[in-house]
Amino acid sequence: MGNERDEALEMFCTVMEMKEKKKALYEDAMSTCPDQVGIETFRMLRDSEVQHLKHVQETYEEIKKGKVWADACKYHQAEDEDRQALLRRIAEEHGKMPMACLDDVVAIETGLQLENSSIVFLQKQAEISKDQMAREFIDRLLTEEREHYILLADLKYYYVDPEAWFMEKSRSRLDGA
């Protein structure tokens, strides 16, 4: 039992470290981004990481105190706006997009790598975990990381091909209908 607890605590430490790195990246990208859409997206990602980090830390403290997963893992409903609704709102508010900012694309690429590393790590943890509650907790973390990855991929698309992004996200059609 102690070994499982130690493994869980080690996993939490790794997850918190990954989340801190992503939070710092998004803060830095937000502060240097000249584009309002990028700033808003990086702010949303940073705030999400802060919220997730707080939840992970709370659960970590409960596990550290010796509580079992069932008592430590409380479901927290995600407060994040639906990703598709966010992208549609951004498309409506900002109209035709400016040329890509190369610094933002580099930050996005780094974010994609960090999110992917988190996904890979958490998938391995889910595979080796024997506790059902632990797997459910890890699955929720995985879902959050995948949503961040998709959001970053969409933001990269926005910068690399703004016209195509706007056509897709605003649901515009070439015939004007």
Side-chain angles (χ1 to χ4, degrees):
M1 179 72 177
N3 192 28
E4 283 181 39
R5 184 175 162 271
D6 291 342
E7 289 172 2
L9 293 175
E10 187 176 323
M11 178 199 69
F12 276 106
C13 289
T14 303
V15 168
M16 287 187 290
E17 183 180 319
M18 292 172 146
K19 290 200 165 292
E20 285 289 350
K21 284 181 184 177
K22 291 186 286 184
K23 182 183 104 179
L25 170 72
Y26 300 142
E27 277 181 353
D28 186 48
M30 187 178 71
S31 68
T32 60
C33 182
D35 176 72
Q36 192 58 40
V37 174
I39 292 170
E40 186 174 340
T41 304
F42 288 129
R43 179 181 297 120
M44 184 184 69
L45 286 165
R46 184 216 46 207
D47 293 348
S48 181
E49 290 299 343
V50 168
Q51 178 187 9
H52 297 159
L53 185 59
K54 181 181 176 214
H55 174 65
V56 169
Q57 285 174 327
E58 288 171 357
T59 307
Y60 170 77
E61 291 301 325
E62 294 296 312
I63 296 288
K64 203 164 92 173
K65 290 177 187 174
K67 290 196 177 181
V68 294
W69 278 99
D71 294 332
C73 296
K74 302 171 192 93
Y75 181 71
H76 293 269
Q77 185 69 10
E79 298 171 6
D80 294 339
E81 183 178 357
D82 174 29
R83 185 179 58 82
Q84 289 300 327
L86 169 75
L87 295 173
R88 260 193 301 286
R89 183 175 54 78
I90 290 171
E92 290 168 3
E93 287 177 6
H94 297 283
K96 191 167 179 152
M97 306 303 165
M99 294 299 290
C101 173
L102 295 180
D103 290 340
D104 290 337
V105 174
V106 170
I108 293 165
E109 289 285 343
T110 304
L112 285 167
Q113 291 171 359
L114 287 173
E115 295 294 348
N116 190 56
S117 295
S118 294
I119 290 168
V120 169
F121 173 75
L122 289 168
Q123 284 173 330
K124 288 178 184 172
Q125 293 300 309
E127 289 172 9
I128 63 173
S129 180
K130 295 175 181 95
D131 186 286
Q132 179 63 29
M133 290 299 295
R135 282 194 303 273
E136 288 176 16
F137 181 79
I138 294 168
D139 285 343
R140 284 196 305 270
L141 290 175
L142 266 168
T143 299
E144 294 164 354
E145 302 307 319
R146 287 179 181 129
E147 287 173 359
H148 292 175
Y149 186 91
I150 291 168
L151 187 59
L152 284 167
D154 280 340
L155 185 61
K156 181 179 175 185
Y157 180 38
Y158 159 79
Y159 282 119
V160 172
D161 193 352
E163 288 81 14
W165 182 91
F166 182 73
M167 291 291 290
E168 180 181 322
K169 302 304 176 186
S170 68
R171 301 191 189 267
S172 297
R173 301 293 176 254
L174 292 176
D175 64 1

